[in-house]
Every structure is written in structure tokens, then in C-alpha cells.
Amino acid sequence: ITCLAGHPRPLWYQAATQRWSLLSHELSDGSNASQDVPLGIIHPTEYHQFAVTLGRGDLVVLYTDALIETGGPPSRSIGEAGLLRLAAEVGGTDPAGFGRGLIAAVDNKFGLTGATRTDDLTVLVLHHNAADPPPMSVAHKLRMMARMMGL
């Protein structure tokens, strides 16, 4: 389940089709869930949630706005479309190196280094390996139940 709360739409690599897209959900009024305001700005605010089913090998890439605002004013920034193109160039077959590769591709496009960035940058790459969670021991289950009961 995803709630963007004002953050940029994540990138989604679908391994089965080897295609990148933006992870978003169109609402019934035709607007996009990415238009939610940031958390805590206006109270109370209703945030839209949506769910997607990930396949084995899929990647979901979360990032701060510094990545799509690179390049100066909005008219020159890379934006979501530019980031999507760069993600396709980097590929999706190396989850461990994808984040560094995407940052390097953006930096190369604009002649930047970490020292010349003017905004903080975070990239988080989630890789679905389709593995089942490890089985819980009886002792672990009992501890979990005790915590839920406030013991």
C-alpha cells in the first residue's frame, strides 16, 4: 500500500516486462494521488492510498525531490519523465547498484558531483525477491502476542 503525501511518485521497474513506469494511481475525479499535500502541513488532511502487486524481481525506487529538480528552474529540471528515461538507460537488473547508477546518470547529465548539489538527496531501492518470510519460532510468536496485549 502506498501513500505519497506530497513526495515524488516512485519509479517502478516491472521485471516481467522489463519496463519502467511511475508508481501512481489515478483517482476517480481524474486527478493523481501524487497531489496529496505533505504530511503534517494541514490538519486534518485526507491522504489517498493505493496498492499494487509486485512481481518477482520488480524494483520500487523512492527518492527525494532533489533528483527530479536537478538542473535548475522547473523549465530546465529533469522532471519525472527525464528521470524515467534515465532509469531505463541504467536498467533494472542490478538492484544493489541501481541507486548509485541513477544518481551518477543524473549527475553526468548536469555535470554535478555530490559536492555541487544544493539540495539533500536520498534514493531508496526496494527489490522484491519473492522469498517467503522465515518461519517464526513459538517463543517469538509468544513474545509478539505478549507485546500486543501490553505485557
Side-chain angles (χ1 to χ4, degrees), residues 6-88:
H7 295 286
R9 292 183 288 179
L11 303 178
W12 180 18
Y13 176 74
Q14 293 176 281
T17 60
Q18 299 182 338
R19 299 197 90 142
W20 284 96
S21 61
L22 293 168
L23 185 61
S24 63
H25 175 70
E26 190 171 293
L27 304 173
S28 59
D29 65 0
S31 65
N32 196 290
S34 67
Q35 302 304 312
D36 289 337
V37 296
L39 288 172
I41 297 294
I42 301 171
H43 183 73
T45 298
E46 184 176 319
Y47 293 94
H48 301 95
Q49 298 178 40
F50 59 96
V52 295
T53 302
L54 299 178
R56 183 181 188 117
D58 284 5
L59 302 179
V60 174
V61 182
L62 309 165
Y63 53 91
T64 55
D65 60 355
L67 204 57
I68 58 174
E69 293 174 357
T70 297
S75 62
R76 292 193 56 226
S77 68
I78 190 169
E80 290 178 329
L83 188 61
L84 205 51
R85 283 190 297 276
L86 287 178

Side-chain angles (χ1 to χ4, degrees), residues 91-139:
T93 58
D94 178 21
F98 179 79
R100 286 185 300 278
L102 185 61
I103 292 169
V106 171
D107 286 350
N108 289 339
K109 181 169 180 61
F110 292 100
L112 298 173
T113 66
T116 58
R117 287 195 171 277
T118 58
D119 198 357
D120 62 314
L121 173 61
T122 301
V123 176
L124 179 64
V125 180
L126 307 173
H127 175 232
H128 182 14
N129 63 10
D132 290 330
M136 283 196 292
S137 68
V138 172

